[in-house]
Amino acid sequence: MRHKQIGIAVIGSGRIGTLRATMAGAHPAVNYLAVADRDPARASELAGKTGADTHSGDNLELISQPEVDAVIVSTSEPEHTQPVIEALERGKPVLVEKPIALRLEDAGRMLDAAERTGTELRVGYSMRFNRRYLLAKEQIIQGRLGRLVGGTGRLYNTRAHGIEILKRSLDATFVQDALTYLVDLFCWFMEGNPPVEVYARGHGVVYREAGYDADEVTWAVVTFADGAAVSVGVGYALPPKYPTHGRLVRTEVLGEKGVLFLDEDHKENILYTEAGFPHAYVPGHRLEMVFLTSNASGNSALGDYWGPLGEETRSWIDHLATGRPCPHTTADQARQTLEVTTAIEASVRAGEAVKLPLPEGV
């Protein structure tokens, strides 16, 4: 198996960009690390933490460097399009955070650039890298469930976490920011069987009282081409002091020959401490009791980062360095997921079912 050294540029020096840059800098295949942010001071700070070879407040300057072979785009969602296309136009593979975009038009521009240049574009749905879901996909591939007939999944989180998402970006709704993980997961499980209809309902009180146009809960039924039906729901309705530091997920997959029941509520790993446990996403938020493994991206421990985001980052760099296959969401799959979540929000607004594919320009 071939092994090569590569240069990585990380665009966006926020929480996830920091994690990605740290892991990239520690990977044995990475011999050059560059970091950027629209705030040059933040890029400089991250460079100091990670030992990056260079940093900049200019994304294009960094992407264009000849030492950079591949790019990680960890900006906020509305800012994905430009750096992704700039990297693809230069023939540099890209890993971009989920969702691929907030508008289908922008996703289409990225897919066009990837196809035109023959350059690989993958999307960071790190939930796939939780071992339970990798094992679930393998059972489906091996035919142990037979033809899939349906399923259900729900994702819960706290209102404290929800407020931080809305403060970061009003465009990043709970459907686009969180339910998107379950849509990606079920479309992956149903691979080759495209979604054809969405029917959804939403309801909320607390966020609107706080001044945000957001529902606490959204539920949707997604029908696939062969008639399989999946219900998925998101609820950022748990009390602020509920002892989770991330999403709580349960999924069920029903097939003609078998079933999968996957519990990711994290209640089997409980810490209680009078010293308080810091929240990875909500500044200043500390709990005495916490579901210890509930931070969605993973956790720092013993000098390294462990969990789905770590596995995803290292797997992508391994893929670049050796050519070995990787299970990262493809650009086409991410575009399909965006279409489904867009249809879910459209169905909530219209109060009726929405057919897929969506019309051009939606």
Side-chain angles (χ1 to χ4, degrees):
M1 180 179 289
R2 67 184 176 93
H3 294 77
K4 65 178 182 180
Q5 296 292 293
I6 54 178
I8 299 288
V10 177
I11 308 303
S13 301
R15 185 175 65 91
I16 298 299
T18 295
L19 293 173
R20 300 274 197 203
T22 302
M23 288 179 282
H27 196 286
V30 175
N31 64 355
Y32 186 84
L33 177 65
V35 297
D37 196 273
R38 63 183 179 182
D39 180 353
R42 190 155 69 166
S44 176
E45 181 182 359
L46 178 56
K49 289 179 180 177
T50 59
D53 296 277
T54 187
H55 60 86
S56 177
D58 185 331
N59 294 341
L60 179 57
E61 175 194 359
L62 218 65
I63 292 169
S64 300
Q65 290 183 354
E67 297 88 352
V68 170
D69 301 299
V71 176
I72 297 173
V73 176
S74 295
T75 64
S76 64
E77 294 88 347
E79 299 170 358
H80 285 175
T81 307
Q82 183 180 12
V84 167
I85 292 176
E86 287 174 350
L88 294 173
E89 294 284 3
R90 288 159 180 77
K92 300 182 180 186
V94 176
L95 174 66
V96 61
E97 307 301 342
K98 63 78 198 166
I100 185 172
L102 295 177
R103 300 190 308 159
L104 289 167
E105 178 184 355
D106 290 333
R109 291 173 58 203
M110 289 185 239
L111 266 67
D112 288 345
E115 182 176 357
R116 184 175 63 255
T117 62
T119 307
E120 189 173 29
L121 171 60
R122 299 288 184 130
V123 182
Y125 280 95
S126 56
M127 188 169 165
R128 287 192 182 193
F129 286 82
N130 186 307
R131 187 174 69 175
R132 59 175 52 84
Y133 303 119
L134 291 168
L135 286 172
K137 178 65 173 178
E138 180 65 20
Q139 308 322 301
I140 294 168
I141 291 172
Q142 294 297 330
R144 295 190 175 105
L145 272 67
R147 175 181 169 181
L148 302 185
V149 298
T152 186
R154 59 90 168 138
L155 185 155
Y156 290 159
N157 210 327
T158 66
R159 295 196 298 271
H161 199 140
I163 288 291
E164 290 302 312
I165 291 173
L166 295 171
K167 283 163 60 177
R168 175 173 58 84
S169 173
L170 292 175
D171 295 319
T173 65
F174 301 140
V175 171
Q176 299 287 15
D177 186 85
L179 187 57
T180 185
Y181 281 108
L182 284 178
V183 173
D184 171 74
L185 193 69
F186 273 102
C187 287
W188 189 40
F189 290 165
M190 296 277 184
E191 196 168 4
N193 184 16
V196 296
E197 184 185 77
V198 168
Y199 182 79
R201 284 289 182 271
H203 184 62
V205 176
V206 175
Y207 292 108
R208 287 189 171 82
E209 291 178 347
Y212 297 100
D213 184 19
D215 288 329
E216 277 96 277
V217 297
T218 302
W219 293 93
V221 175
V222 182
T223 304
F224 291 80
D226 70 349
V230 170
S231 66
V232 289
V234 61
Y236 270 69
L238 301 180
K241 291 292 186 178
Y242 193 82
T244 181
H245 280 222
R247 56 182 179 245
L248 307 178
V249 183
R250 288 189 183 179
T251 56
E252 302 173 1
V253 186
L254 307 176
E256 61 180 351
K257 296 180 180 178
V259 298
L260 286 163
F261 295 99
L262 308 173
D263 185 345
E264 196 188 353
D265 272 349
H266 302 285
K267 295 176 182 176
E268 74 279 17
N269 301 304
I270 295 175
L271 168 71
Y272 186 91
T273 169
E274 293 178 348
F277 189 89
H279 198 291
Y281 199 86
V282 185
H285 194 65
R286 302 177 75 87
L287 298 175
E288 292 183 335
M289 178 178 170
V290 59
F291 299 155
L292 195 58
T293 55
S294 59
N295 185 38
S297 58
N299 300 91
S300 296
L302 306 180
D304 209 337
Y305 198 81
W306 311 94
L309 193 82
E311 297 291 340
E312 179 184 56
T313 306
R314 289 184 279 263
S315 175
W316 185 65
I317 297 173
D318 288 345
H319 168 67
L320 296 176
T322 68
R324 60 186 283 185
C326 64
H328 297 70
T329 302
T330 67
D332 285 332
Q333 290 170 339
R335 196 266 178 206
Q336 176 180 261
T337 293
L338 177 61
E339 184 172 46
V340 173
T341 53
T342 300
I344 288 172
E345 294 188 325
S347 180
V348 170
R349 290 193 300 270
E352 60 187 23
V354 172
K355 298 290 185 182
L356 300 174
L358 293 174
E360 290 294 328
V362 172

